[in-house]
Amino acid sequence: MCGIVGITSNKEVTTRIVNSLKKLEYRGYDSAGIATLNDGFIKEVKCEGRVEVLEKNITSSNLQGEIAIGHVRWATHGRPSTINAHPHSSETVSVVHNGIIENSTILKKILEKKGYNFKSQTDTEVIAHLITDYLKKNNLKNTIIKVLKKLHGSFALGIIFKDYPDLIVGARRGSPLAVGYGPNENYLGSDSYALKSMTNKVSYLNDGEFCLIKDNQVEFFDTNGIKVNKKILNLSQDNQDNDKGDYKHFMAKEIDEQPTTIKNCVNEYIDKINKQINIYNFPWKINQINSIVLIGCGTAYHSCLVAKYWFEEYTSLDVSIDIASEFRYRKLKFKSDCLYVFVSQSGETADTYAALDICKKNKMKTCSIVNVIESSIARDSNLVLPIHCGPEIGVASTKAFLGQMLVLYILCLKLSFDQKIITKKIYQEKIKNLLSLSNLCKKTLLTDNKIQKASKEFIKAKGSMFLGRGYSFPIALEGALKLKELAYVHAEGYPAGEMKHGPLALIEEGMPVVVLAPRDNHYKKTISNMQEVIARGAKVLLVTNKSKDEIQSENIWEKIEVENLTEDLFPFLITVPLQKLAYYSALQNGYDIDKPRNLAKSVTVE
Ligand code: F6R
């Protein structure tokens, strides 16, 4: 999704803007651009497509400057094109923008009547002309205060000015924005990841704030222009490298990293000597929590769905789950004895952040389960439980999904034990099982040949189904989501028992169907559902666990067996073959696996 970088310095900056934009490429984008001041004039270079193209255009136009703003765009208003790429500039002002200006049509009409000409179809261009217009009658600070109040919607902005040659203005409402500090230069970035190659000292803007950044000074203001003091924070140094190494794709690397990330996460939360869970900073007493709501989007939401089964089984809490984009618009009855848990890899997903914000405003207990600990969601929750899986670059979430499930499982065990629902013996047994999970996951990675073969059928089919019951149902949803987003194959995830209530009509000769049937409580019922689809011509790829008991069916097309473990942990293992199925299906089709079409890594618009 869109990304912003800005640098004001006393040295040339365009090369570093390009390098930082490259760091933001993983978020998914369709065009890129940069604006700088050159001989006292605003000069832009923009392109459709990759930052590499932008880099070539910058070299050929010999663009240089000691101040610049850069952007990668993920189209919302106006199709991806060079004209619609950011920055958008007037003669005196140039703007980059993440987010959506909801009243841009009205503002555009007013500005057009005043004689301003629009080149693009974007909502952003109104900001450049609005600032230009206000600057005619106001000083810079008042212009910013007034213009920001005119804008409806969400934004993170970076702005440079012809008449203030060393100044970048940053402003935030809804979309995250960070300021970085360097020697004789300062930076603006839509997340700290964009700035990490230049500094580890950052401050974050809160909602409604704006900042004036010069090479030797940074000032922050609230909505009304009152000065705000900011803490300078040190960014964490993650040791994981962000290179693909010998892998063709980040996704393949991230799937293979899962045993390591499970191990790291378990090490962070489990005291192996005393066999107990350490969440040192848990801020509430157990009797202050009677219910729990788990909230996320996409894959993160699926981790909440799996966790619902755990919380129902092991705690006496009332458990509900919600998709963040729905939660934010529901008529909610907030309960002070409820814990609201927000799950997000990036920690910047706009819908999840908005859901957190509503809970915060209602003074609820909030906990976030995130990968990026400097993220907005982490910063604004009462309790942060990191998933410790290192940077995830592939757009499709893989290792973060396992990490999210793992932390939810650990939180569930802690609450269960504190509530005295499970005995110390069972608690410690479950901790012991967690310690073996990494190794079992490693063995599950060795199932490549069968999956590669199966993927050929999936890409040929006009549709496919993923079926499971209990814990396996959300994993079926996740498997189907992965296949859709990476291989562009229509796939439906369904509770296996629901098939006869409608979707069975879709099954026809040769349709590939994934059946998730580890030997758990639901095993026999799921196998019966499997027979029903086989009887109607489906080609079944069965994912089960290793066992001495033979499965009573002759017509299974392909079978993948994961390692044996207690049934509540099966979701961790049966996910892996489905990630690989999506990966190989996309690979066979020659698709851009790490950056699937139309998608973005960090979804910072609604
Ligand atoms: C799918 C995927 C998305 C994300 C969703 C939430 O593979 O990656 O569905 O899970 O956009 O993102 P985060 O976890 O960053 O809030």
Side-chain angles (χ1 to χ4, degrees), residues 78 282 291 392 420 513 599:
F282 196 78
S291 57
E392 188 181 68
K420 301 193 176 28
V513 174
L599 298 179

Side-chain angles (χ1 to χ4, degrees), residues 296-302 343-350 352 369 377 392 394-398 400-401 404 478 481-482 485-486 599-603:
C297 297
T299 290
Y301 170 70
H302 293 159
V343 183
S344 173
Q345 187 286 129
S346 61
E348 300 294 355
T349 300
T352 314
I369 294 180
I377 291 174
E392 188 181 68
V395 162
S397 197
T398 52
F401 177 60
Q404 289 159 352
E478 175 59 8
L481 175 64
K482 284 286 164 293
E485 68 171 322
L486 292 161
L599 298 179
K601 183 69 184 159
S602 176
V603 185

